Amino acid sequence: MQQFLFTLIWAGGWEKATTSQLQADINRFIQLYTEDRKVQEQINILVAKSVSLNSLIGQVSRDMELYKNLVKTK
Amino acid sequence: MKTFTDYLNQFGEIGEIQEVSHSLGTASGLPEINYHELVLAQSGEIGQVMTLKDQKVEILFFSAQAPEIGTRVSRTGKFLEIGLDQKLLGQVVNAFAQPIMPDKPIPSSEFRSLFTLPAGIASRKRITRFLETGVSVVDLLLPLGKGQRELVLGDRKTGKTDFLLKTIETQANQGMICIYAAIGKKMLDIKKVQELFEKQGVMQHLVIVAASSNEPAGLIYLAPYTAMTIAEYFKDLGHDVLIVLDDLTTHARSYREISLLARRFPGRNSYPAEIFFTHAQLLERSGNFVSQNGKEVAITCLPVAETIEGDIVGYIQTNLMSMTDGHIYFDNDLFANGRRPAINPFLSVTRVGRQTQTSLMRDINRELTSFLLLYEKMQGYTHFGAEVTDSVLQTLRTGERIITFLNQTQEAP
């Protein structure tokens, strides 16, 4: 989860967000990861499949909007 | 234990207390007694032989005060052992592994000596399994492996215990057995720790060994050995164990108190000469081992050392640094600046943790370390109020986001 969140920030997610907004979104993400088995599985597979930071950034950037919406909608 | 008269009849040696100094007593009349043998006084106190002299022995009693001069003492032929059982899980126990709040006594399925030798090199294995602490700055920048000994170092009130509690919570939730040794802590703080673990619902994976600050120095001295013996018991049952020794500087002070009372020759900072050996032998009992069925089992040890005014080159602190596989340093200045946890990644070291990382984790580690160095440097520019370029501004903004991500309070999920 930590690797996924770091990559999300590193890839430019939350670029315009304030600190408190970022903190709240991170907490929501972690909560989602802990409570939703499906999300947990998806993230775990994504991280396990990535052999380098570049490949994970590529994957995360492609689905950036999806992840952002995930936090908003839940 | 049998009665005083039974032991007297068994061994036929009647000792007599001749000198008393706090919890230390000197006795004569025990010519055949062994080093570390337990002694029972007629008044009921139990002690352990600390020094053998020509005609006398020095006994450390596990009570606040040694028996009065003239009290009769007897050999027991026994050595300090604690009763162990799986039912210890979820309990707060004292230095004798007895529950502090005894609802009902814990049955003992096995007895073990507290002072055993560390396992040899043949039964050890290279550390390859990653240990998640749940603290991002450690997991990403200073990774730990199962079986590693990592010193946790820092001033008072810099968040060391919060980090340790978070690590225990994370590991206990993953099913690891955790042992928390509160060495010379206030009883109120120990109670708070217990309540926190109960609230988190992880107590069933945990044993708290408590030797509070108002207990005799002898019991504080024993507490880390008790914790390690319990850890070894669960390791031998095939479980991975995490042991937290909070903290060894207090342990060293208690040992110094005992040694000075025994009039042993003081070494540097008045600590006894064998303080390095004492701690090294204790910490060497942890590591990554191969069990009888070929499975890897580890005792991961997180000893704590308290510094004064950020002085990390103190005697006990440097001793512990040299016998562990790295250290995590909690920085006073970072704490004052609001960083939680206040870990200084540039003054911290992990020697074997990196070999447990995947290639992705290694990539992140490399990128993050070099970025944080750059960020620190750029931050320096802004202190002058100088005009900064767009690229510097971009670095500063990304840095703020990364620091926000790395900031984790105790309440954070």
Side-chain angles (χ1 to χ4, degrees):
Chain A
M1 183 60 183
Q2 291 155 333
Q3 296 162 58
F4 171 76
L5 280 176
F6 169 77
T7 312
L8 218 54
I9 298 170
W10 200 242
W14 293 296
E15 209 151 47
K16 291 182 178 103
T18 60
T19 310
S20 55
Q21 209 177 335
L22 170 62
Q23 190 64 66
D25 281 358
I26 288 174
N27 286 346
R28 242 174 292 161
F29 242 123
I30 297 171
Q31 205 176 350
L32 202 61
Y33 178 83
T34 332
E35 288 166 4
D36 195 329
R37 265 261 163 91
K38 216 172 154 191
V39 174
Q40 195 179 85
E41 216 168 84
Q42 271 178 348
I43 293 176
N44 286 350
I45 290 171
L46 180 71
V47 172
K49 274 186 178 171
S50 309
V51 286
S52 69
L53 181 58
N54 281 341
S55 70
L56 187 56
I57 288 175
Q59 297 270 2
V60 164
S61 305
R62 218 173 11 244
D63 301 325
M64 185 68 83
E65 284 311 308
L66 186 89
Y67 296 128
K68 280 186 177 171
N69 289 335
L70 196 69
V71 184
K72 275 176 200 155
T73 50
K74 292 270 173 168
Chain B
M1 258 190 146
K2 295 183 214 165
T3 63
F4 176 76
T5 324
D6 289 339
Y7 283 123
L8 212 56
N9 292 336
Q10 187 182 343
F11 293 98
E13 288 184 24
I14 307 168
E16 192 182 288
I17 298 287
Q18 305 234 306
E19 281 177 52
V20 167
S21 173
H22 296 265
S23 50
L24 262 166
T26 309
S28 61
L30 300 166
E32 299 292 320
I33 201 161
N34 293 304
Y35 178 62
H36 270 177
E37 189 176 325
L38 290 182
V39 167
L40 180 65
Q42 197 171 13
S43 45
E45 291 93 344
I46 299 168
Q48 186 189 31
V49 175
M50 289 290 285
T51 320
L52 294 170
K53 292 181 175 173
D54 270 354
Q55 302 291 328
K56 293 175 182 174
V57 289
E58 264 171 8
I59 304 161
L60 172 68
F61 285 95
F62 302 118
S63 47
Q65 187 68 36
E68 286 176 5
I69 293 172
T71 308
R72 295 200 300 167
V73 289
S74 169
R75 285 183 61 186
T76 62
K78 289 178 184 257
F79 294 88
L80 201 53
E81 283 183 334
I82 54 167
L84 297 158
D85 194 88
Q86 298 223 38
K87 290 200 171 99
L88 277 170
L89 289 173
Q91 298 285 339
V92 182
V93 297
N94 62 14
F96 295 122
Q98 297 295 319
I100 282 182
M101 303 284 182
D103 298 331
K104 47 186 175 184
I106 303 172
S108 302
S109 53
E110 195 182 325
F111 285 89
R112 284 192 187 197
S113 166
L114 289 184
F115 303 96
T116 55
L117 288 175
I121 200 161
S123 59
R124 291 175 188 261
K125 223 175 168 197
R126 185 182 156 89
I127 292 169
T128 50
R129 292 175 297 150
F130 177 66
L131 181 122
E132 190 186 349
T133 64
V135 177
S136 301
V137 69
V138 175
D139 290 340
L140 295 178
L141 287 168
L142 305 156
L144 304 181
K146 285 182 182 167
Q148 186 167 348
R149 290 155 297 180
E150 183 82 359
L151 179 66
V152 176
L153 188 72
D155 278 13
R156 281 185 75 241
K157 303 280 173 200
T158 48
K160 296 189 298 295
T161 303
D162 282 351
F163 161 70
L164 296 166
L165 299 184
K166 181 82 189 168
T167 307
I168 290 176
E169 184 200 348
T170 308
Q171 281 305 314
N173 278 328
Q174 291 177 14
M176 197 189 248
I177 305 283
C178 301
I179 319 286
Y180 178 74
I183 307 163
K185 297 259 162 209
K186 286 184 210 152
M187 207 56 214
L188 186 71
D189 291 340
I190 298 170
K191 190 80 195 143
K192 274 186 196 163
V193 167
Q194 184 194 357
E195 281 169 1
L196 178 76
F197 287 135
E198 277 168 359
K199 203 173 128 195
Q200 289 166 344
V202 295
M203 241 351 239
Q204 73 273 21
H205 293 285
L206 189 79
V207 184
I208 300 177
V209 179
S212 71
S213 50
N214 53 4
E215 288 189 67
L219 289 185
I220 296 175
Y221 166 70
L222 288 183
Y225 293 98
T226 305
M228 190 58 84
T229 308
I230 296 173
E232 284 174 337
Y233 169 73
F234 283 108
K235 186 259 293 180
D236 291 343
L237 289 178
H239 300 286
D240 282 323
V241 184
L242 170 72
I243 175 170
V244 173
L245 303 172
D246 193 3
D247 69 282
L248 285 187
T249 36
T250 308
H251 178 253
R253 279 198 292 268
S254 292
Y255 191 41
R256 175 170 66 180
E257 186 183 324
I258 295 165
S259 296
L260 291 175
L261 284 172
R263 296 196 202 100
R264 285 193 193 163
F265 194 78
R268 186 173 155 190
N269 291 6
S270 300
Y271 286 103
E274 77 272 22
I275 190 71
F276 186 97
F277 166 78
T278 304
H279 282 161
Q281 194 188 36
L282 173 70
L283 297 183
E284 200 61 22
R285 287 164 70 175
S286 54
N288 193 31
F289 304 92
V290 192
S291 67
Q292 282 173 340
N293 55 16
K295 197 184 139 200
E296 271 187 53
V297 277
I299 299 180
T300 310
C301 184
L302 300 178
V304 182
E306 200 177 282
T307 56
I308 297 165
E309 300 278 322
D311 176 23
I312 57 171
V313 291
Y315 179 40
I316 300 299
Q317 291 80 1
T318 46
N319 271 0
L320 290 168
M321 271 185 207
S322 65
M323 61 183 83
T324 47
D325 309 310
H327 59 266
I328 296 173
Y329 176 58
F330 284 76
D331 196 319
N332 244 343
D333 295 336
L334 291 182
F335 189 82
N337 287 338
R339 289 263 194 105
R340 301 289 184 276
I343 294 170
N344 187 329
F346 307 117
L347 288 180
S348 304
V349 179
T350 175
R351 292 195 183 97
V352 290
R354 290 196 212 289
Q355 68 203 31
T356 66
Q357 286 185 309
T358 59
S359 56
L360 172 66
M361 286 162 89
R362 266 197 295 271
D363 261 7
I364 293 177
N365 188 314
R366 209 177 304 120
E367 287 286 343
L368 191 53
T369 309
S370 58
F371 175 78
L372 286 177
L373 271 169
L374 181 72
Y375 175 62
E376 295 260 313
K377 205 167 125 187
M378 299 293 181
Q379 260 193 325
Y381 295 153
T382 58
H383 289 163
F384 309 124
E387 267 185 39
V388 288
T389 62
D390 283 348
S391 74
V392 174
L393 261 179
Q394 181 65 28
T395 307
L396 289 171
R397 279 196 201 121
T398 310
E400 274 167 27
R401 287 202 299 277
I402 298 287
I403 295 298
T404 307
F405 160 65
L406 294 177
N407 257 351
Q408 273 175 292
T409 54
Q410 179 65 32
E411 294 77 34

